[in-house]
């Protein structure tokens, strides 16, 4: 790919430093410039150097880091040019009809730290116009703020994974191969510019696919729900399931972090590949997975079958409970969620342990046997809880 030639003054503008400073950095080989010809990649690297200087790094350290290719990721910002126009919160409030306090609240949820003088870009303004239209259409504010928080948290994880995986599997191999720094920056820029346009279509495809699925699940849930039951606003009837690996900390100490990570990946992949269609993974935390489902019977059957697929150490164990849980920000909260988590902590390796609410919901399902183990005291719960070990009927 042909290099984009730019003038020294343009390079200085992009880097945010004077032309004299750029010339000095080029002469000292802090920023590599071929035959005095400035390029977009060199200007991007100069901008990184300028920022690192502001953070107190010496030119000698930056020169060494540049030679090793550790600054070559700076080109990425050229794919997102900074707009020159900026507006205040008050200007945007007048343009969108949103109260300044609500704008500030949305920006905090989106992860934008508050500053003494808030200036917003045209992209910020466009996003806030969308927010205003959603609220004007009648969507409740409390639900809207939760939805924005879920979007922000999910997309933050996506962007973090994109950058980290690009670094691990593209940037670091180039560093190990001792590719010259400008060549490295240009190669990474070319690959990223080819990949970036693919992200939004793939995200839109997955969003529409899952939206269709969960709309169908919601309709089914309404049809099968106990219409006579009452619950607080924001609560949903759900079967809660926690799965973790027994003795995982000791296993990690004995086998090492990499082997333990491989075990967790195989464990989570097995859960993902075998889950019933209506069940959903809410989150994974280390060696623990939280799953929810509207169907207690299919989830319990799956859990019993899962343990048969993973007989080796460290073995999983499962705790299941049915309840009305508070749904907030894409997660589930409340006393009953804590109870389900306590249940799995009492299960033995290779054991599925459920509460009486699960046995009542399943109602003598063919193929499952429930063995009562009595009323068990669970940490944080003053009243003992009847628990049952579930196995496949011989």
């Amino acid at each position: 790919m042909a290099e984009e030639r730019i003038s020294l003054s343009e390079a200085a503008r992009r880097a945010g430093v004077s032309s004299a400073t750029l010339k000095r950095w080029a002469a000292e080989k802090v920023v590599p410039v071929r035959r005095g010809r400035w390029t977009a990649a060199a200007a991007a690297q100069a901008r990184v150097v300028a920022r690192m200087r502001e953070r107190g790094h010496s030119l000698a350290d930056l020169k060494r880091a540049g030679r090793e290719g550790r600054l070559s990721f700076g080109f990425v910002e050229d794919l997102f040019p900074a707009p020159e126009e900026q507006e205040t919160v008050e200007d945007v409030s007048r343009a969108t009809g949103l109260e300044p306090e609500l704008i500030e609240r949305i920006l905090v949820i989106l992860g934008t730290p508050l500053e003494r003088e808030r200036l917003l870009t045209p992209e910020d303004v466009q996003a806030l116009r969308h927010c205003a239209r959603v609220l004007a259409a009648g969507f409740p504010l409390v639900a809207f703020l939760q939805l924005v928080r879920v979007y922000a948290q999910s997309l933050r994880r996506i962007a973090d994974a994109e950058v980290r995986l690009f670094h691990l599997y593209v940037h670091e191999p180039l560093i190990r191969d001792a590719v010259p720094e400008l060549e490295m920056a240009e190669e990474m820029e070319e690959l990223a510019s080819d990949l970036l346009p693919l992200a939004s279509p793939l995200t839109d495809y997955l969003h529409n696919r899952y939206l269709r699925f969960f709309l169908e699940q919601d309709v089914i849930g309404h049809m099968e729900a106990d219409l006579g039951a009452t619950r607080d606003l924001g609560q949903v009837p759900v079967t809660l399931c926690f799965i973790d690996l027994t003795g995982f900390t000791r296993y990690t100490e004995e086998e090492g972090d990499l082997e333990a990570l491989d075990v967790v990946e195989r464990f989570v992949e097995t859960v993902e590949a075998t889950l019933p269609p209506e069940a959903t993974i809410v989150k994974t935390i280390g060696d623990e997975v939280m799953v929810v489902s509207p169907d207690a019977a299919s989830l319990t059957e799956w859990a019993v079958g899962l343990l048969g697929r993973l007989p080796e150490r460290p073995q999983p164990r499962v705790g299941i409970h049915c309840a009305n849980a508070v749904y907030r920000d894409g997660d589930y909260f409340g006393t009953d969620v804590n109870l389900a988590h306590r249940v799995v902590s009492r299960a033995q390796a290779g054991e599925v342990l459920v509460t009486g609410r699960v046995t009542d919901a399943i109602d003598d399902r063919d193929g499952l046997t429930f063995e009562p183990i009595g009323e068990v005291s669970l940490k944080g719960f003053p009243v003992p809880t009847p628990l049952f070990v579930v196995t496949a009927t011989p």
Side-chain angles (χ1 to χ4, degrees), residues 34-200:
R34 297 168 181 165
R35 297 185 296 277
R37 298 174 181 173
W38 284 91
T39 64
Q45 190 147 328
R47 183 175 59 249
V48 175
V49 169
R51 291 185 176 179
M52 292 300 98
R53 287 289 287 156
E54 291 173 359
R55 296 173 67 90
H57 295 276
S58 69
L59 285 177
D61 289 341
L62 292 169
K63 182 177 179 180
R64 182 169 58 255
R67 284 199 307 268
E68 294 169 357
R70 287 185 282 138
L71 304 183
S72 296
F73 229 156
F75 76 89
V76 171
E77 291 191 14
D78 283 343
L79 302 178
F80 310 99
E84 296 182 0
E85 294 182 48
Q86 292 184 315
E87 300 183 46
T88 66
V89 168
E90 289 70 24
D91 292 336
V92 178
S93 176
R94 287 189 290 271
T96 63
L98 298 175
E99 293 293 330
E101 293 78 9
L102 179 56
I103 292 175
E104 296 282 10
R105 190 173 180 185
I106 292 171
L107 292 173
V108 169
I109 292 173
L110 293 176
T112 307
L114 292 176
E115 300 167 355
R116 184 166 298 176
E117 183 181 7
R118 161 72 62 211
L119 293 176
L120 304 180
T121 68
E123 288 77 12
D124 296 328
V125 176
Q126 185 64 27
L128 289 166
R129 288 185 187 276
H130 288 309
C131 295
R133 283 196 287 270
V134 171
L135 292 171
F139 197 61
L141 177 61
V142 62
F144 170 74
L145 292 176
Q146 288 187 50
L147 192 58
V148 171
R149 187 174 289 111
V150 172
Y151 283 159
Q153 291 173 351
S154 300
L155 291 170
R156 187 181 296 120
R157 287 188 63 195
I158 291 171
D160 184 33
E162 289 170 336
V163 171
R164 291 184 186 278
L165 292 172
F166 197 97
H167 173 80
L168 289 172
Y169 294 99
V170 178
H171 192 188
E172 286 197 358
L174 290 171
I175 292 174
R176 287 196 295 270
D177 291 341
V179 175
E181 52 193 303
L182 273 184
E183 182 181 334
M184 184 186 301
E186 291 157 4
E187 188 170 334
M188 291 170 65
E189 180 180 18
E190 182 175 4
L191 178 58
S193 62
D194 288 341
L195 294 177
L196 188 62
L198 303 178
S200 293

Side-chain angles (χ1 to χ4, degrees), residues 181-387:
E181 52 193 303
L182 273 184
E183 182 181 334
M184 184 186 301
E186 291 157 4
E187 188 170 334
M188 291 170 65
E189 180 180 18
E190 182 175 4
L191 178 58
S193 62
D194 288 341
L195 294 177
L196 188 62
L198 303 178
S200 293
L202 182 58
T203 302
D204 289 343
Y205 160 73
L206 289 172
H207 179 234
N208 289 335
R209 179 172 178 169
Y210 283 118
L211 191 60
R212 186 182 304 115
F213 171 79
F214 283 109
L215 282 170
E216 180 179 318
Q217 291 301 309
D218 188 65
V219 172
I220 294 172
H222 279 296
M223 291 296 295
E224 297 180 351
D226 182 359
L227 298 181
T230 59
R231 58 181 182 272
D232 294 336
L233 185 66
Q235 287 190 331
V236 292
V238 69
T239 301
L240 303 152
C241 173
F242 287 92
I243 317 122
D244 67 15
L245 299 175
T246 53
F248 182 71
T249 300
R250 183 175 179 180
Y251 181 86
T252 302
E253 293 172 350
E254 294 175 353
E255 303 296 334
D257 291 340
L258 291 179
E259 176 61 28
L261 179 59
D262 286 342
V263 168
V264 170
E265 288 182 344
R266 291 195 297 270
F267 164 57
V268 174
E269 286 172 358
T270 303
V271 171
E272 291 172 335
T274 60
L275 266 184
E278 68 279 358
T280 302
I281 293 177
V282 177
K283 57 188 173 185
T284 61
I285 306 173
D287 66 313
E288 182 177 78
V289 180
M290 178 182 177
V291 175
V292 297
S293 174
D295 188 339
S298 68
L299 189 62
T300 304
E301 287 179 337
W302 165 80
V304 172
L306 173 72
L307 299 186
R309 295 173 179 268
L310 300 166
E312 299 178 357
R313 175 175 174 262
Q315 280 188 285
R317 58 182 179 177
V318 182
I320 305 177
H321 177 53
C322 292
N324 289 329
V326 176
Y327 182 80
R328 183 71 54 84
D329 300 340
D331 204 344
Y332 296 81
F333 301 89
T335 302
D336 285 296
V337 178
N338 296 334
L339 176 62
H341 196 256
R342 295 300 184 195
V343 171
V344 72
S345 67
R346 294 302 300 266
Q348 302 296 315
E351 189 173 77
V352 177
L353 203 58
V354 304
T355 64
R357 290 191 189 177
V358 176
T359 64
D360 292 342
I362 292 177
D363 192 23
D364 298 327
R365 180 85 165 200
D366 289 341
L368 295 177
T369 299
F370 299 90
E371 179 184 349
I373 63 172
E375 295 186 343
V376 178
S377 295
L378 301 175
K379 184 178 179 180
F381 292 86
V383 179
T385 303
L387 297 179

